Amino acid sequence: MSSDATPGAPAAGRDLMSGAEPAVGSGKADPILRADGVRRSFGGLTAVDVDHLEVQRGTITALIGPNGAGKSTLFNVLTGFDRADAGEWTFQGRKFNGLAGHKVAQRGMVRTFQLTKALTRLTVLENMLLAAPGQRGERFFGAFGRWMWTGQEAANRERALELLARFKLDAKKDDIAGSLSGGQRKLLEMARSLMVEPAMVMLDEPMAGVNPALVQSLLEHITSLRDEGTTVLFVEHDMDVIMGISDWIVVLAQGQVIAEGRPADIRSNQQVIDAYLGAHHDEPDAGGAGDEGDRKEGQP
Amino acid sequence: MDIMTILALSLETAIGPIAAIYVLAAIGLNMHFGYTGLLNFGQVGFMLVGAYGVAVSVTTFGLPLSVGFVISLGCSAVLALILGIPTLRLRADYLAISTIAVAEVLRLVYRAEFARPVTGGVYGRNSFADAFYDANPLPAGSYGVGDVDFNAGELWLTLACWGLVALGLVMTALLMNSPWGRVIKGIREDEDAVRSLGKDAFTYKLQSLVFGGVFGGLAGAMIALNQQNIHPDQFMPQVTFYLWAMLLLGGVGTLWGPVVGPVIMWFLLTLFDETLRGMASMDVLPFLATSDSGPLRHALVGVVLMVLIVYRPQGLVGNRKEMLVNVK
């Protein structure tokens, strides 16, 4: 795909970013997520140490960084799947630190996983229906009163079928999810997260292990999500993908935010290039710098 | 000893109260393991508190039998909460370790000398079931076809046990065909995925543990009624493992698996037992003493289970494709 053009409505998300400075911890016009001093360490290793981060509502924000930069840990911490050692964060103005994973999802922030978690022995449609929020038949005693939830179930089924059609999975609705290919599972996971009616989706490497043809359709789904008003925060490795669809990019290295900005800002940011390729990689005397050389070995 | 008598005896066991009691406990275990994926290796512990709930209420505290039943179900629900609250937030293995240990500790505590004023210690409790048999509406006499026959009391108990089985099956079917059941099956597949979709996996697992535990307790209460006396040492860990074998035989995670498994298993156990006994008494197998049939029948059942695992890993009523979906 071309690395500059944004598919779909090109300027929609970027306009929202017009007020933001391309600097670490910069303020956004209307942040949906605001995090302060988030820290998580494993033993002696500080995996995440983010001073200040804001995510603009209605945009696609990419979280990038070399392996081990702490992207997934930050994801886990923000979504309640891991405990932070310190820090506060709010989502849509509500305090979210210390909230359990399922409550985070109930309040509009839904995540996917790097290794897809399709519920393999449930059918595709059951996967979708499970995610619908506020089901009356989901309570133990409610389950016995079929008349109370059959109407709701039918409405959910209709919405699930619409979403499946949009993600071109409707032909597979009665197959068990375990029979889907890797790429189809990614699509299912994304469609399933939309069943929760989230204000923000957090996609952990949505393109990993997906064939190039499907990458294109996944990208279109992500941009159309944004165009419908859902905020997207995603972790990804493929630079073409990131530069192509992101409205804003946050670069993480060794647990810290080292740069933020529009794709063009990031592309020319020396610190980012250093973090990815090792410092001074273009300079002839690179091998001479002792500790810089060590860092270089640690990078991919 | 002719073959018809052996078959009739085996059939009588397979449809009798003991098989129905194992079906009840297996329904609970199926909710735990088959649907929710919880590893409960202490179902016998629930049966123990269920049996003693009835016996102790009636004998020690002089309460009516019906109240004893309610207490027995309450005890198994409380046991499920005690087991579940600390362990269900952790990985699956912690519940497995806790259940097997707690079931055995319970047996040792119930048989201990200090517990004797309440539980009767090693001597257990007896004569608490009269109210049940007094309430029998069936006229005295013999019921059955040919060699398969029950007296009025046995039939009354058998009907009560299978009635409870029917209740358990209806409840399971309603639950598992509801959104609640969908979440439960989702937890079996991947707990984190279910949490990421806004469902509180812990609460669901706890509900499942209580539901299955109450059916274990119900099985225990029916054991107490059937035997009219109980002692702690009949609640050994192997009861749990018989239940597991029966559930796997029938088909894990299916509605009818926990019914088919115990029925077939009890049929085979009795068939082997009686055949071996008959052969020993006729001196067909001179090396075999009559008392050897007990251990040997279990060896034969073991062979049957091995054959089953090789040729039908999904159990008798399971779905092979579903079973093998995660096996690559």
Side-chain angles (χ1 to χ4, degrees):
Chain A
M1 67 164 292
S2 101
S3 56
D4 282 314
T6 306
R14 274 176 204 164
D15 282 350
L16 290 168
M17 301 309 316
S18 58
E21 284 294 310
V24 173
S26 73
K28 312 293 187 299
D30 177 18
I32 190 168
L33 175 70
R34 189 198 298 262
D36 280 294
V38 179
R39 211 168 52 244
R40 173 69 169 125
S41 25
F42 300 105
L45 175 83
T46 305
V48 169
D49 186 4
V50 172
D51 279 341
H52 185 77
L53 178 68
E54 293 184 8
V55 174
Q56 168 66 37
R57 188 189 306 272
T59 60
I60 297 173
T61 302
L63 194 58
I64 66 170
N67 287 330
K71 306 178 298 283
S72 287
T73 307
L74 179 61
F75 245 57
N76 287 341
V77 165
L78 290 178
T79 52
F81 277 75
D82 195 356
R83 258 198 304 269
D85 297 327
E88 292 179 351
W89 57 100
T90 59
F91 179 71
Q92 297 185 307
R94 298 167 79 177
K95 176 173 160 286
F96 257 45
N97 37 312
L99 216 54
H102 66 276
K103 289 193 178 141
V104 168
Q106 282 166 8
R107 293 176 194 186
M109 188 202 273
V110 175
R111 68 165 303 173
T112 65
F113 293 87
Q114 192 173 340
L115 301 169
T116 15
K117 294 186 182 296
L119 305 170
T120 45
R121 279 187 283 173
L122 268 57
T123 68
V124 169
L125 185 60
E126 280 175 329
N127 264 269
M128 296 293 287
L129 289 171
L130 184 138
Q135 299 182 53
R136 282 189 285 273
E138 238 171 44
R139 279 168 305 192
F140 182 83
F141 292 106
F144 294 107
R146 296 189 85 84
W147 68 92
M148 290 194 306
W149 50 262
T150 40
Q152 196 184 26
E153 181 87 349
N156 284 337
R157 178 179 296 256
E158 201 169 309
R159 202 159 63 82
L161 289 174
E162 271 168 32
L163 276 171
L164 284 177
R166 177 169 151 193
F167 284 84
K168 299 196 174 61
L169 287 170
D170 43 346
K172 300 253 175 203
K173 69 181 168 69
D174 296 321
D175 295 3
I176 55 172
S179 69
L180 298 182
S181 73
Q184 287 170 327
R185 288 185 197 201
K186 290 270 180 197
L187 284 172
L188 173 61
E189 207 179 14
M190 203 183 288
R192 194 176 64 188
S193 70
L194 296 184
M195 275 303 282
V196 189
E197 299 173 330
M200 173 159 154
V201 287
M202 316 256 293
L203 308 172
D204 198 351
E205 299 201 19
M207 316 297 169
V210 174
N211 75 57
L214 211 50
V215 164
Q216 192 53 45
S217 98
L218 271 167
L219 287 177
E220 282 161 21
H221 286 306
I222 294 176
T223 42
S224 69
L225 270 182
R226 187 262 322 267
D227 297 340
E228 287 161 17
T230 310
T231 310
V232 180
L233 179 66
F234 77 115
V235 169
E236 193 43 70
H237 278 299
D238 185 334
M239 276 299 167
D240 281 346
V241 165
I242 292 156
M243 294 298 169
I245 69 162
S246 314
D247 302 310
W248 194 258
I249 297 177
V250 176
V251 188
L252 223 59
Q254 291 169 344
Q256 293 178 325
V257 179
I258 59 162
E260 270 190 57
R262 277 167 278 268
D265 306 323
I266 296 302
R267 212 190 308 252
S268 57
N269 186 309
Q270 187 60 45
Q271 266 187 295
V272 177
I273 296 169
D274 288 352
Y276 265 89
L277 301 171
H280 314 297
H281 84 113
D282 272 343
E283 293 169 25
D285 61 345
D291 58 345
E292 298 288 338
D294 287 346
R295 243 182 89 197
K296 186 178 176 181
E297 274 172 32
Q299 306 302 341
Chain B
M1 203 67 185
D2 70 295
I3 189 72
M4 286 317 287
T5 326
I6 292 178
L7 282 175
L9 208 59
S10 307
L11 187 63
E12 201 176 294
T13 317
I15 62 173
I18 295 177
I21 284 164
Y22 274 79
V23 170
L24 275 175
I27 285 175
L29 196 58
N30 188 41
M31 176 56 81
H32 290 161
F33 177 68
Y35 291 123
T36 325
L38 300 174
L39 287 171
N40 171 9
F41 288 128
Q43 187 71 339
V44 71
F46 290 99
M47 294 163 81
L48 182 144
V49 297
Y52 271 93
V54 168
V56 170
S57 301
V58 175
T59 53
T60 312
F61 299 106
L63 297 165
L65 188 63
S66 52
V67 177
F69 246 81
V70 174
I71 289 174
S72 135
L73 298 189
C75 286
S76 24
V78 169
L79 176 61
L81 293 176
I82 293 173
L83 277 167
I85 289 171
T87 59
L88 288 180
R89 287 181 207 278
L90 307 170
R91 258 194 352 247
D93 358 6
Y94 290 90
L95 179 71
I97 298 166
S98 313
T99 47
I100 194 168
V102 165
E104 190 62 356
V105 168
L106 278 173
R107 179 179 72 84
L108 295 172
V109 168
Y110 274 62
R111 81 194 292 280
E113 194 53 35
F114 65 77
R116 194 162 158 192
V118 181
T119 64
V122 285
Y123 303 105
R125 284 288 180 218
N126 57 40
S127 55
F128 42 77
D130 296 344
F132 176 78
Y133 290 97
D134 290 345
N136 186 357
L138 303 165
S142 175
Y143 297 86
V145 182
D147 282 339
V148 182
D149 73 326
F150 298 100
N151 68 35
E154 284 168 355
L155 186 64
W156 171 227
L157 181 77
T158 306
L159 289 176
C161 288
W162 285 110
L164 288 172
V165 167
L167 176 74
L169 289 177
V170 168
M171 286 179 80
T172 307
L174 283 174
L175 281 171
M176 295 319 295
N177 289 309
S178 78
W180 186 87
R182 199 159 52 211
V183 177
I184 286 289
K185 282 188 262 183
I187 290 171
R188 175 188 69 193
E189 301 304 312
D190 195 317
E191 198 183 317
D192 278 343
V194 171
R195 280 167 60 213
S196 79
L197 297 169
K199 317 294 174 197
D200 183 5
F202 171 75
T203 306
Y204 283 96
K205 289 200 286 185
L206 201 57
Q207 287 170 344
S208 162
L209 194 65
V210 171
F211 178 85
V214 165
F215 273 89
L218 213 47
M222 294 321 276
I223 287 180
L225 290 189
N226 180 38
Q227 298 176 178
Q228 306 187 46
N229 71 70
I230 50 167
H231 55 97
D233 290 337
Q234 68 183 104
F235 298 99
M236 298 288 274
Q238 58 256 43
V239 176
T240 302
F241 294 104
Y242 289 151
L243 280 171
W244 273 88
M246 291 172 186
L247 181 60
L248 293 171
L249 174 72
V252 168
T254 61
L255 183 62
W256 291 100
V259 182
V260 172
V263 167
I264 303 258
M265 184 81 125
W266 276 110
F267 183 82
L268 291 179
L269 274 174
T270 319
L271 187 69
F272 290 152
D273 200 25
E274 293 301 326
T275 310
L276 287 169
R277 214 186 285 269
M279 283 158 100
S281 66
M282 287 188 298
D283 280 331
V284 181
L285 304 169
F287 55 89
L288 197 73
T290 318
S291 58
D292 289 341
S293 67
L296 257 181
R297 69 171 183 174
H298 284 120
L300 281 172
V301 170
V303 171
V304 171
L305 280 174
M306 264 159 42
V307 170
L308 180 87
I309 283 165
V310 172
Y311 293 103
R312 230 184 136 75
Q314 73 273 35
L316 294 172
V317 297
N319 177 340
R320 189 183 181 90
K321 237 170 52 196
E322 218 177 68
M323 166 91 195
L324 295 178
V325 68
N326 291 323
V327 183
K328 290 262 161 76

